[in-house]
Amino acid sequence: MLRLKSESDLKYMREAGRVVASVFAALEPYMEPGVSTAELNEVARQVIRKAGAKASFEGYGYPPFPGAICVSIDEEVVHGIPDETRLLESGQIVSIDVGAKLKGFHGDAARTFQIGDVKPEVEALVTATKQSFYEALPLMAPGYRLGDIAATIQNYCEERGYGVVRELTGHGIGTDLHEDPNVPNYGTAGRGLRLQVGMTLAVEPMITLGDYRIEQLSDGWTIVTADRLPAAHYENTVAVTKDGPKILTAL
Ligand code: MF3
Ligand code: CO
């Protein structure tokens, strides 16, 4: 169901979004070689708990997601499971996806961090993935269509030779982590649902260095590129307001 949010709903979503952003700030100093992905999960869990919020991903879906956050390294696109035996190494890119529920509303965002020295072509992928979100941000406003956002992300990334993951999309968000509509990162300008004041969308480009095709690992969660080349992820929860787009997952 697509639920439009009131001004007061948006105040709560902004608070949830602030908790999500504070998790990235807390994780930043831990994004170093030798830190396990389970340690990152523990830091995130504590920040979310101290804020009086709940980790949106914990126990989500089937099999129940076992972490508070998703940690996806290199060829892992999204939904990587925190693991005490998995240590960060120089040269990796690490996507962290965080969801927090506060006072009944979710915030959802992702960032891709670089560990030590990363190959220039991989660094460029990370930069372009984030920039594709910002290219589309002005279109997350009343009157534009979902296809405008999608085409902007797709064109920006494909012009640079990257792959745009198709099987996974962004989504509406609010009292549920995943609400209607789906928000694809590929599509045609001028098509799709028209944006209205009160929509809240998690827009999340998942961009690959090689082919866009993906596979799921046998753990039931981790999504990897089929060609095992690196992928980056960037996500914010955004409100469509009469004054234009507002990023809710910010400090
Ligand atoms: N940002 C991801 C999404 O919207 C996070 C979900 S991961 C899960 O699908 F662990 F909750 F499944
Ligand atoms: Co999301």
Side-chain angles (χ1 to χ4, degrees):
M1 203 165 73
L2 196 159
R3 303 187 191 82
L4 296 178
K5 277 73 182 182
S6 67
E7 290 281 341
S8 105
D9 293 339
L10 290 187
K11 283 209 180 74
Y12 292 128
M13 289 194 66
R14 180 72 182 90
E15 280 187 52
R18 212 183 292 280
V19 174
V20 170
S22 74
V23 171
F24 294 123
L27 285 176
E28 184 99 54
Y30 291 90
M31 302 305 293
E32 295 288 341
V35 176
S36 78
T37 62
E39 287 174 72
L40 302 177
N41 186 63
E42 208 39 50
V43 170
R45 255 170 47 89
Q46 292 302 334
V47 172
I48 293 168
R49 204 177 58 88
K50 284 195 186 123
K54 192 187 157 299
S56 307
F57 304 164
E58 211 148 46
Y60 182 89
Y62 196 83
F65 189 76
I69 61 173
C70 305
V71 185
S72 309
I73 300 178
D74 290 341
E75 77 280 3
E76 299 169 355
V77 184
V78 288
H79 301 172
I81 298 174
D83 177 349
E84 62 195 8
T85 71
R86 193 83 191 275
L87 306 186
L88 303 188
E89 295 170 20
S90 182
Q92 288 175 336
I93 57 170
V94 181
S95 303
I96 307 269
D97 196 337
V98 178
K101 189 180 198 183
L102 185 67
K103 298 176 187 165
F105 288 92
H106 294 271
D108 182 6
R111 303 285 181 264
T112 300
F113 294 88
Q114 304 179 46
I115 310 303
D117 286 319
V118 171
K119 281 192 209 146
E121 79 208 76
V122 177
E123 178 161 18
L125 168 72
V126 173
T127 304
T129 301
K130 178 177 181 179
Q131 189 56 31
S132 72
F133 171 88
Y134 282 97
E135 295 288 322
L137 181 62
L139 312 181
M140 300 173 203
Y144 288 102
R145 291 174 178 269
L146 287 177
D148 299 328
I149 295 171
T152 300
I153 293 172
Q154 181 179 16
N155 293 339
Y156 184 85
C157 294
E158 289 184 351
E159 274 168 13
R160 286 159 180 78
Y162 302 127
V164 177
V165 171
R166 282 149 169 67
E167 291 172 65
L168 299 168
T169 67
H171 49 93
I173 177 170
T175 53
D176 285 339
L177 176 62
H178 296 129
E179 298 183 356
D180 287 338
N182 284 329
V183 182
N185 299 304
Y186 65 95
T188 308
R191 301 269 194 96
L193 187 70
R194 201 179 281 280
L195 301 190
Q196 317 177 38
V197 170
M199 286 182 176
T200 43
L201 305 174
V203 180
E204 46 180 321
M206 289 156 267
I207 309 300
T208 66
L209 192 59
D211 192 90
Y212 64 75
R213 274 179 288 253
I214 57 173
E215 295 174 357
Q216 187 176 64
L217 298 185
S218 58
D219 62 16
W221 277 103
T222 310
I223 302 291
V224 296
T225 54
D227 61 13
R228 300 303 193 264
L229 289 173
H233 185 203
Y234 188 87
E235 175 181 24
N236 279 307
T237 299
V238 177
V240 177
T241 80
K242 65 175 172 27
D243 304 317
K246 293 278 176 288
I247 295 180
L248 301 176
T249 39
L251 285 176

